[in-house]
Amino acid sequence: SFRIRVVDTVTPRLAVPSPLTVEATRPTGAQVEFQAMANDLVDRRPRVTCTPASGSTFPLGATTVRCSARDASGNRADASFAVTVVDTTPPALSLPENRTVQATSTKGAAVTYAASATDIVDGAVFPSCAPPSGSTFPVGATTVTCSARDTRGNQSISERAFKFLDR
């Protein structure tokens, strides 16, 4: 008589996503969901683990995700893929509504206004406006153009009209 011992020495087949590029949704990056799967000739459900795990917050830039699959016999397969978090969203400008102002002299009127901007990643961003708040605006219509740029160079531009009535 003799014995036959059947062993499993074949590693699982591990499938990971292709490289992912996702838009930042907060200052710390973006929460990224992905799926890595494995199958095996013997083990119906090989254990798959990835670091960082699906659902983690990934920082701006490229991060390598390393995954492994291990079957019940201890065979292991490894794979990796890149997750790149980018910021291509420009800041959101908040400008006053168009308005009409009474002229205070033949030159028009000095007008102050408040403009602000917020960026998903950078938070508050200082907008630049022309003509600036506090300038003397002539009688007639003047368009104020404001822009805001985040630290990655994404820019928003918006305009508002101010009309001045003759005294």
Side-chain angles (χ1 to χ4, degrees):
S1 72
F2 62 93
R3 289 185 182 187
I4 297 176
R5 183 174 178 196
V6 177
V7 294
D8 175 14
T9 60
V10 177
T11 61
R13 283 181 296 222
L14 176 59
V16 296
S18 297
L20 301 172
T21 300
V22 296
E23 185 70 24
T25 56
R26 59 186 91 165
T28 55
Q31 183 177 355
V32 179
E33 300 282 338
F34 59 84
Q35 187 173 12
M37 301 180 297
N39 59 36
D40 187 72
L41 293 172
V42 178
D43 186 353
R44 291 184 161 242
R45 286 201 223 159
R47 188 171 147 234
V48 177
T49 58
C50 294
T51 303
S54 177
S56 297
T57 297
F58 286 71
L60 284 160
T63 301
T64 300
V65 178
R66 300 184 194 297
C67 299
S68 66
R70 186 178 301 266
D71 66 16
S73 300
N75 300 308
R76 179 178 160 162
D78 296 304
S80 63
F81 64 98
V83 172
T84 303
V85 178
V86 298
D87 175 15
T88 62
T89 304
L93 277 164
S94 178
L95 304 180
E97 293 299 316
N98 292 346
R99 65 186 196 196
T100 301
V101 177
Q102 184 68 43
T104 57
S105 74
T106 56
K107 292 183 179 184
V111 177
T112 58
Y113 58 87
S116 62
T118 304
D119 186 69
I120 292 170
V121 173
D122 295 334
V125 178
F126 185 74
S128 173
C129 298
S133 178
S135 296
T136 297
F137 288 64
V139 173
T142 300
T143 299
V144 175
T145 303
C146 296
S147 65
R149 184 182 306 267
D150 66 17
T151 57
R152 278 151 211 83
N154 302 308
Q155 184 177 17
S156 291
I157 299 174
S158 191
E159 297 180 338
R160 287 294 186 257
F162 290 88
K163 292 181 183 174
F164 296 90
L165 303 175
D166 200 356
R167 313 193 280 153

